[in-house]
Amino acid sequence: LVFMYDRDLKQKGLEHKVIFRNPKSRYLGEAFSATATYSLKESFDTKYCLAFKANEMTMKNKAHLIGEVYAVPPEVMLDLDAYHQNGNLYLREFRNVFMMDQPLPVNGKLKYMTQRCWFYLGVESTWRNCQLRQRPICKNVHCDRFTFLA
């Protein structure tokens, strides 16, 4: 499974072409990251939108990521690795997400099913000298968590 967090439409369109080029790829639903430990930034030309693990400098600007989960075959993961320049621009890591489309009522509160997915997170050393701006944070009414504005 791969989690594609909210991206600029131009970039997202390219990722979707890589994913859906293979007929075995399946959309599983919307999700949000299990932890609020991410910082979401974008380039001033909005060509790139990247999530970083929050560090000491970005701890006050951390929130959950919202995105989509896809079941993809191994060859699509290899294509996505090439597209993201895995290990250079982005680093693929295995993380937990909560599926927003499948909440379960438990004791008057909604609980979400957990999935383990691959995330593409920005490599800070690669992007250090690029001018990036922080995406604003807001309360998401669908999952009742703080997330980043699209």
Side-chain angles (χ1 to χ4, degrees):
L1 300 180
V2 63
F3 175 72
M4 306 309 286
Y5 53 84
D6 195 11
R7 307 269 182 119
D8 178 80
L9 289 177
K10 292 177 210 165
Q11 189 176 4
K12 187 174 183 181
L14 291 173
E15 288 170 339
H16 279 201
K17 286 178 188 172
V18 170
I19 290 171
F20 289 116
R21 189 170 43 213
N22 188 304
K24 294 179 184 172
S25 297
R26 297 286 179 259
Y27 171 76
L28 298 183
E30 289 188 30
F32 63 94
S33 61
T35 59
T37 55
Y38 301 97
S39 176
L40 191 64
K41 298 186 177 192
E42 66 184 355
S43 60
F44 282 93
D45 62 4
T46 67
K47 183 179 177 186
Y48 295 99
C49 182
L50 336 99
F52 296 99
K53 289 183 276 189
N55 59 31
E56 305 81 44
M57 293 176 13
T58 59
M59 284 308 277
K60 67 177 189 263
N61 296 319
K62 64 184 176 126
H64 291 272
L65 297 174
I66 295 282
E68 300 169 338
V69 175
Y70 296 89
V72 298
E75 59 270 20
V76 171
M77 287 306 301
L78 293 174
D79 289 343
L80 287 169
D81 281 351
Y83 172 77
H84 288 99
Q85 296 182 39
N86 186 33
N88 184 25
L89 297 180
Y90 296 86
L91 188 60
R92 180 163 48 101
E93 295 187 10
F94 212 43
R95 302 281 175 135
N96 290 330
V97 297
F98 292 120
M99 300 298 294
M100 291 171 56
D101 297 342
Q102 302 159 16
L104 301 169
V106 177
N107 297 329
K109 287 188 157 188
L110 289 179
K111 300 289 182 179
Y112 298 97
M113 184 176 76
T114 305
Q115 287 288 351
R116 297 273 295 159
C117 299
W118 290 109
F119 278 46
Y120 286 95
L121 299 173
V123 176
E124 285 196 57
S125 59
T126 301
W127 298 94
R128 184 174 296 129
N129 295 325
C130 297
Q131 290 191 351
L132 302 173
R133 65 175 165 224
Q134 178 70 42
R135 280 261 183 102
I137 297 172
C138 68
K139 184 96 172 204
N140 186 301
V141 295
H142 301 293
C143 65
D144 196 34
R145 305 286 198 292
F146 283 97
T147 62
F148 297 95
L149 285 175

